[in-house]
Amino acid sequence: MPPPSDIVKVAIEWPGANAQLIEMDQKRPLSSIIREVCDGWSLSGSEQFALRYADGPQLYITEQSRGDIKNGTILRLAISPARAARQLLERIQSHGIDARLEALKELAKLSADPTFAAEFINMEGIGTLARLVESGTHFGEMLAFTLTAFLELMDHGIVSWDLISLSFIKQIAGYVNQPMVDVSILQRSLAILESMVLNSHSLYHRVAQEITVGQLIGHLSNQEIQTYAIALINALFLKAPEDRRQEEYTNPLEQHLTEMASSLAQKHLRSIILNHVIRGNRPIKAEMAHQLYVLQVLTFNLLEERMMTKMDPNDQAQRDIIFELRRIAFDGENDPTGTEKRKAMYTKDYKMLGFTNHVNPAMDFTQTPPGMLALDNMLYLAKVHQDTYIRIVLENSSREDKHECPFGRCAIELTRMLCEILQVGELPNEGCNDYHPMFFTHDRAWEEFFCVCIQLLNKTWKEMRATAEDFNKVMQVVREQITRALAMKPSSIDQLKTKLRGLNYSEILRLRQSERMSQDDFQSPPIIELRERIQPEILELIKQQRLNRLCEGSCFRKLGNRRRQEKFWFCRLSLNHKVLHYGDLDESPQGEVPFELLSDKIPVSDIKSVVTGKDCPHMKEKSALKQNKEVLELAFSVLYDPDETLNFVAPNKYEYCIWTDGLCALLGREMGSDLTRSDLDTLISMEMKLRLLDLENITIPEAPPPVPKEPSSYNFTYNYS
């Protein structure tokens, strides 16, 4: 007979004594259990003690968290959080340097525990740490542990960052600005400043007065701190007031820039990131990749104002930009007359330029998006790549009317498309690492990207022999060409051009046909019959592959960790498919993690269901900012008895499908992910091709012939990884 669900068998340790093996009744108050344990070792004052986990983070056990204790867990009797906080607070204010250092080491470790943190903060512990920093008397290890404890305590969100004093900010900023500072101190100082900026609007202004992007550039050459520096740059960028991020230059014929864009796009910063980060001699870790992605998104978001700005047809300065486009294409030199009467005769030229409204082309830029951003792109092409611009315009104006590629309309729609592909104006997705190295190789990467794509569009138009009626079809092909090329992660603009040359219209048709064949195969009766016959065994093969992958296990990043010290956890299925093992890790593992390193487990028999997306408990708890589409699509949870959950956010769509499919197969339920259907179609297609070699006289799509005898020794192996 199995033990009651509210009885947990655990071992409890105490230094210098034999461990006690007890059956913990989860219905009893925790205080009575601690009193019983203390009596077993003849310890008085049980109210001064508490239970902690012996392994992993060694968190305190409370009435709220005791439900997480599993059978076989090793616990440790320790002094209570309040008593520990009081002792440490006294020790860090002692006069002995060695005693103070040991106390700060222990405090840095315990501060990650929310129960201890609450007690320490209630004793004005954060104020004490802040005064130690402000005094400027701590250096080296002692200062590093002080800053670590301070950041850990603040990260619990118990007190507001707005309480931080200006002198504390100046002291932390001073560590960042000093030329020779210990790496550990610099890392923690940058992380504290980042948290200040992200968590307090008022502190942003104070930090921005002490730290500039230019001062942070020098730290990017140090591989130990470059992730922290870029994270702070992103935070300053993200929280900058709108008036500082968006300040137009007065000359409308100059490409629209901003104060922040000018700072971020300066050649020195870009080259430092490119040479010391992207092309550095160390692989880019997940956190760095995320920060590069955030920087890329925030940089492109500078285009949002222009993208959402309509052109004013009555604004002469804006109309002059269109006159400049006409002049460069057809006059070659400045028009000395330049009168309104002369400009009124430009209708024919505007038609040749491909504008929809030939009389007043300014009306073409009144729709947002892409608004004035499209006109900015066209002007950049005309000024910087003048020969290309003139060639495109004149080449199309010399074609038959039905085959001409309207440059103006194409540029506007292409700008809109590029904004959609690169998600201009959207907030960065938490956990996303999708940055493109080529956007860090040029000071005007957006404009150069547009110039490459407009040439691609013109080339594809010719290859398709398109007419005006085919405009949308051409744009669909161009979108596919661009997205496929971006997926290859070209390292430079030139490499992007090479990738696009290999993705001409003929290649796109071939890829579409190949993908269609792999998905649909043939629809004749013999093929349908054969598909239905082999589908069960192929589906079983996929299930086994999924379960094998679960046995290998996967590493997951802890959601919501905004600090640079990454936290991970690992989960894998036992080889007999009866237990899920999981546990925290200090760093991302290289290969499989042994079962003995995973301290927690869930019997598969206790699992009630698997939920995904918005139905996950950890997605319901997230704020609107964090609950973005990217995270929702990768979230899933395991619900198990009695009312517990194990929450996941997969690192990518592939791992998401593997785990959700595998868990469904484990529970005997139907798998349903896109990856499963793709696997099934691919494997069926491959096996059908092999089996069809053994079938004779099949007519497609005529009536099915007699079913041939199956080969006596058929061997098909497909290794899907």
Side-chain angles (χ1 to χ4, degrees), residues 7 27 44 109 114 118 146 158 227 230 317 423 433 531 534 545 571 599 647 649 668:
I7 300 297
K27 293 182 178 179
S44 59
K109 182 179 179 181
T146 304
I158 299 174
T227 305
I230 293 180
Q423 299 179 328
N433 303 331
R531 173 186 289 270
I534 65 177
Q545 185 270 337
C571 186
S599 57
N647 299 318
V649 175

PDB file of all heavy atoms in Angstrom, residues 7 27 44 109 114 118 146 158 227 230 317 423 433 531 534 545 571 599 647 649 668:
ATOM      1  N   ILE A   7       2.601  12.537   3.377  1.00  0.00           N
ATOM      2  CA  ILE A   7       3.747  12.067   4.156  1.00  0.00           C
ATOM      3  C   ILE A   7       4.968  12.042   3.246  1.00  0.00           C
ATOM      4  O   ILE A   7       4.950  11.403   2.184  1.00  0.00           O
ATOM      5  CB  ILE A   7       3.505  10.671   4.753  1.00  0.00           C
ATOM      6  CG1 ILE A   7       2.296  10.697   5.691  1.00  0.00           C
ATOM      7  CG2 ILE A   7       4.753  10.179   5.485  1.00  0.00           C
ATOM      8  CD1 ILE A   7       2.469  11.586   6.903  1.00  0.00           C
ATOM      9  N   LYS A  27       0.770  17.985   6.937  1.00  0.00           N
ATOM     10  CA  LYS A  27      -0.382  18.629   7.580  1.00  0.00           C
ATOM     11  C   LYS A  27      -0.005  19.257   8.927  1.00  0.00           C
ATOM     12  O   LYS A  27      -0.730  20.106   9.436  1.00  0.00           O
ATOM     13  CB  LYS A  27      -1.505  17.608   7.784  1.00  0.00           C
ATOM     14  CG  LYS A  27      -2.126  17.120   6.480  1.00  0.00           C
ATOM     15  CD  LYS A  27      -3.265  16.151   6.755  1.00  0.00           C
ATOM     16  CE  LYS A  27      -3.918  15.695   5.454  1.00  0.00           C
ATOM     17  NZ  LYS A  27      -5.019  14.729   5.698  1.00  0.00           N
ATOM     18  N   SER A  44      17.919  23.134  22.514  1.00  0.00           N
ATOM     19  CA  SER A  44      16.861  23.967  23.090  1.00  0.00           C
ATOM     20  C   SER A  44      16.606  25.186  22.197  1.00  0.00           C
ATOM     21  O   SER A  44      17.425  25.534  21.349  1.00  0.00           O
ATOM     22  CB  SER A  44      17.264  24.427  24.492  1.00  0.00           C
ATOM     23  OG  SER A  44      18.471  25.174  24.437  1.00  0.00           O
ATOM     24  N   LYS A 109      25.822  34.957  -0.340  1.00  0.00           N
ATOM     25  CA  LYS A 109      25.215  33.668  -0.658  1.00  0.00           C
ATOM     26  C   LYS A 109      23.771  33.591  -0.182  1.00  0.00           C
ATOM     27  O   LYS A 109      22.877  33.136  -0.903  1.00  0.00           O
ATOM     28  CB  LYS A 109      26.051  32.549  -0.020  1.00  0.00           C
ATOM     29  CG  LYS A 109      25.552  31.151  -0.305  1.00  0.00           C
ATOM     30  CD  LYS A 109      26.460  30.110   0.350  1.00  0.00           C
ATOM     31  CE  LYS A 109      25.951  28.699   0.102  1.00  0.00           C
ATOM     32  NZ  LYS A 109      26.817  27.677   0.755  1.00  0.00           N
ATOM     33  N   PRO A 114      14.718  34.361  -0.632  1.00  0.00           N
ATOM     34  CA  PRO A 114      13.717  35.421  -0.380  1.00  0.00           C
ATOM     35  C   PRO A 114      13.318  35.539   1.088  1.00  0.00           C
ATOM     36  O   PRO A 114      13.021  36.630   1.564  1.00  0.00           O
ATOM     37  CB  PRO A 114      12.530  35.003  -1.261  1.00  0.00           C
ATOM     38  CG  PRO A 114      12.732  33.543  -1.539  1.00  0.00           C
ATOM     39  CD  PRO A 114      14.202  33.313  -1.538  1.00  0.00           C
ATOM     40  N   ALA A 118      13.981  39.008   3.160  1.00  0.00           N
ATOM     41  CA  ALA A 118      12.930  39.800   3.809  1.00  0.00           C
ATOM     42  C   ALA A 118      13.322  40.170   5.238  1.00  0.00           C
ATOM     43  O   ALA A 118      13.105  41.306   5.686  1.00  0.00           O
ATOM     44  CB  ALA A 118      11.619  39.017   3.798  1.00  0.00           C
ATOM     45  N   THR A 146      29.997  42.858  -1.105  1.00  0.00           N
ATOM     46  CA  THR A 146      29.006  43.857  -0.681  1.00  0.00           C
ATOM     47  C   THR A 146      28.053  44.190  -1.827  1.00  0.00           C
ATOM     48  O   THR A 146      26.828  44.223  -1.650  1.00  0.00           O
ATOM     49  CB  THR A 146      29.705  45.139  -0.196  1.00  0.00           C
ATOM     50  OG1 THR A 146      30.611  44.824   0.850  1.00  0.00           O
ATOM     51  CG2 THR A 146      28.686  46.155   0.298  1.00  0.00           C
ATOM     52  N   ILE A 158      11.487  43.743  -2.914  1.00  0.00           N
ATOM     53  CA  ILE A 158      10.828  44.046  -1.637  1.00  0.00           C
ATOM     54  C   ILE A 158      10.814  45.546  -1.383  1.00  0.00           C
ATOM     55  O   ILE A 158       9.837  46.095  -0.863  1.00  0.00           O
ATOM     56  CB  ILE A 158      11.543  43.300  -0.492  1.00  0.00           C
ATOM     57  CG1 ILE A 158      11.455  41.782  -0.734  1.00  0.00           C
ATOM     58  CG2 ILE A 158      10.938  43.660   0.863  1.00  0.00           C
ATOM     59  CD1 ILE A 158      12.244  40.946   0.262  1.00  0.00           C
ATOM     60  N   THR A 227      29.429  41.944 -21.877  1.00  0.00           N
ATOM     61  CA  THR A 227      27.987  41.662 -21.809  1.00  0.00           C
ATOM     62  C   THR A 227      27.286  42.642 -20.872  1.00  0.00           C
ATOM     63  O   THR A 227      26.205  43.146 -21.167  1.00  0.00           O
ATOM     64  CB  THR A 227      27.741  40.224 -21.331  1.00  0.00           C
ATOM     65  OG1 THR A 227      28.435  39.314 -22.177  1.00  0.00           O
ATOM     66  CG2 THR A 227      26.256  39.888 -21.352  1.00  0.00           C
ATOM     67  N   ILE A 230      27.132  46.171 -22.622  1.00  0.00           N
ATOM     68  CA  ILE A 230      26.091  46.268 -23.658  1.00  0.00           C
ATOM     69  C   ILE A 230      24.710  46.263 -23.018  1.00  0.00           C
ATOM     70  O   ILE A 230      23.793  46.963 -23.471  1.00  0.00           O
ATOM     71  CB  ILE A 230      26.240  45.121 -24.669  1.00  0.00           C
ATOM     72  CG1 ILE A 230      27.550  45.289 -25.456  1.00  0.00           C
ATOM     73  CG2 ILE A 230      25.058  45.082 -25.632  1.00  0.00           C
ATOM     74  CD1 ILE A 230      27.801  44.197 -26.480  1.00  0.00           C
ATOM     75  N   ALA A 317       9.214  71.956 -47.920  1.00  0.00           N
ATOM     76  CA  ALA A 317      10.502  71.319 -47.621  1.00  0.00           C
ATOM     77  C   ALA A 317      10.450  69.828 -47.909  1.00  0.00           C
ATOM     78  O   ALA A 317      11.407  69.241 -48.428  1.00  0.00           O
ATOM     79  CB  ALA A 317      10.877  71.572 -46.161  1.00  0.00           C
ATOM     80  N   GLN A 423      10.495  43.836 -37.643  1.00  0.00           N
ATOM     81  CA  GLN A 423       9.637  44.196 -36.504  1.00  0.00           C
ATOM     82  C   GLN A 423       9.981  45.576 -35.934  1.00  0.00           C
ATOM     83  O   GLN A 423      10.154  45.757 -34.723  1.00  0.00           O
ATOM     84  CB  GLN A 423       9.748  43.128 -35.411  1.00  0.00           C
ATOM     85  CG  GLN A 423       9.304  41.753 -35.889  1.00  0.00           C
ATOM     86  CD  GLN A 423       9.430  40.678 -34.837  1.00  0.00           C
ATOM     87  OE1 GLN A 423      10.320  40.721 -33.999  1.00  0.00           O
ATOM     88  NE2 GLN A 423       8.551  39.701 -34.873  1.00  0.00           N
ATOM     89  N   ASN A 433      17.274  35.471 -29.177  1.00  0.00           N
ATOM     90  CA  ASN A 433      18.691  35.699 -29.484  1.00  0.00           C
ATOM     91  C   ASN A 433      18.916  35.948 -30.970  1.00  0.00           C
ATOM     92  O   ASN A 433      20.035  35.781 -31.459  1.00  0.00           O
ATOM     93  CB  ASN A 433      19.523  34.494 -29.040  1.00  0.00           C
ATOM     94  CG  ASN A 433      19.358  34.175 -27.574  1.00  0.00           C
ATOM     95  OD1 ASN A 433      19.090  35.059 -26.774  1.00  0.00           O
ATOM     96  ND2 ASN A 433      19.498  32.919 -27.211  1.00  0.00           N
ATOM     97  N   ARG A 531       0.302   5.344 -47.925  1.00  0.00           N
ATOM     98  CA  ARG A 531       0.520   6.288 -46.828  1.00  0.00           C
ATOM     99  C   ARG A 531      -0.237   5.839 -45.574  1.00  0.00           C
ATOM    100  O   ARG A 531       0.305   5.855 -44.464  1.00  0.00           O
ATOM    101  CB  ARG A 531       0.062   7.676 -47.253  1.00  0.00           C
ATOM    102  CG  ARG A 531       0.090   8.723 -46.131  1.00  0.00           C
ATOM    103  CD  ARG A 531      -0.520  10.030 -46.592  1.00  0.00           C
ATOM    104  NE  ARG A 531       0.353  10.694 -47.533  1.00  0.00           N
ATOM    105  CZ  ARG A 531       1.307  11.565 -47.176  1.00  0.00           C
ATOM    106  NH1 ARG A 531       1.497  11.834 -45.892  1.00  0.00           N
ATOM    107  NH2 ARG A 531       2.057  12.130 -48.071  1.00  0.00           N
ATOM    108  N   ILE A 534       1.502   2.729 -43.865  1.00  0.00           N
ATOM    109  CA  ILE A 534       2.790   2.868 -43.169  1.00  0.00           C
ATOM    110  C   ILE A 534       2.779   3.960 -42.107  1.00  0.00           C
ATOM    111  O   ILE A 534       3.720   4.070 -41.328  1.00  0.00           O
ATOM    112  CB  ILE A 534       3.925   3.144 -44.179  1.00  0.00           C
ATOM    113  CG1 ILE A 534       3.712   4.496 -44.873  1.00  0.00           C
ATOM    114  CG2 ILE A 534       4.065   2.019 -45.157  1.00  0.00           C
ATOM    115  CD1 ILE A 534       4.828   4.855 -45.836  1.00  0.00           C
ATOM    116  N   GLN A 545      11.646   8.440 -31.025  1.00  0.00           N
ATOM    117  CA  GLN A 545      12.691   9.463 -31.141  1.00  0.00           C
ATOM    118  C   GLN A 545      12.482  10.568 -30.114  1.00  0.00           C
ATOM    119  O   GLN A 545      13.422  11.057 -29.488  1.00  0.00           O
ATOM    120  CB  GLN A 545      12.685  10.035 -32.564  1.00  0.00           C
ATOM    121  CG  GLN A 545      13.795  11.030 -32.855  1.00  0.00           C
ATOM    122  CD  GLN A 545      13.389  12.470 -32.530  1.00  0.00           C
ATOM    123  OE1 GLN A 545      12.207  12.791 -32.490  1.00  0.00           O
ATOM    124  NE2 GLN A 545      14.368  13.321 -32.309  1.00  0.00           N
ATOM    125  N   CYS A 571      16.473  19.223 -17.269  1.00  0.00           N
ATOM    126  CA  CYS A 571      15.420  18.225 -17.059  1.00  0.00           C
ATOM    127  C   CYS A 571      15.639  17.074 -18.029  1.00  0.00           C
ATOM    128  O   CYS A 571      15.967  17.301 -19.208  1.00  0.00           O
ATOM    129  CB  CYS A 571      14.034  18.850 -17.268  1.00  0.00           C
ATOM    130  SG  CYS A 571      12.655  17.736 -16.851  1.00  0.00           S
ATOM    131  N   SER A 599      18.606  17.036  -8.432  1.00  0.00           N
ATOM    132  CA  SER A 599      18.129  16.723  -7.082  1.00  0.00           C
ATOM    133  C   SER A 599      16.621  16.488  -6.993  1.00  0.00           C
ATOM    134  O   SER A 599      16.149  15.866  -6.045  1.00  0.00           O
ATOM    135  CB  SER A 599      18.529  17.849  -6.126  1.00  0.00           C
ATOM    136  OG  SER A 599      18.010  19.091  -6.583  1.00  0.00           O
ATOM    137  N   ASN A 647       7.289  24.340 -14.647  1.00  0.00           N
ATOM    138  CA  ASN A 647       7.109  25.295 -15.739  1.00  0.00           C
ATOM    139  C   ASN A 647       8.349  25.377 -16.617  1.00  0.00           C
ATOM    140  O   ASN A 647       9.476  25.435 -16.123  1.00  0.00           O
ATOM    141  CB  ASN A 647       6.792  26.678 -15.173  1.00  0.00           C
ATOM    142  CG  ASN A 647       5.501  26.678 -14.368  1.00  0.00           C
ATOM    143  OD1 ASN A 647       4.514  26.074 -14.774  1.00  0.00           O
ATOM    144  ND2 ASN A 647       5.502  27.334 -13.220  1.00  0.00           N
ATOM    145  N   VAL A 649      10.141  27.157 -20.343  1.00  0.00           N
ATOM    146  CA  VAL A 649      10.163  28.006 -21.534  1.00  0.00           C
ATOM    147  C   VAL A 649      11.288  27.461 -22.404  1.00  0.00           C
ATOM    148  O   VAL A 649      12.465  27.575 -22.059  1.00  0.00           O
ATOM    149  CB  VAL A 649      10.399  29.496 -21.207  1.00  0.00           C
ATOM    150  CG1 VAL A 649      10.540  30.284 -22.507  1.00  0.00           C
ATOM    151  CG2 VAL A 649       9.250  30.051 -20.390  1.00  0.00           C
ATOM    152  N   GLY A 668       0.572   8.851 -23.309  1.00  0.00           N
ATOM    153  CA  GLY A 668      -0.310   8.085 -24.182  1.00  0.00           C
ATOM    154  C   GLY A 668      -1.316   8.919 -24.922  1.00  0.00           C
ATOM    155  O   GLY A 668      -2.400   8.442 -25.267  1.00  0.00           O
TER     156      GLY A 668
END
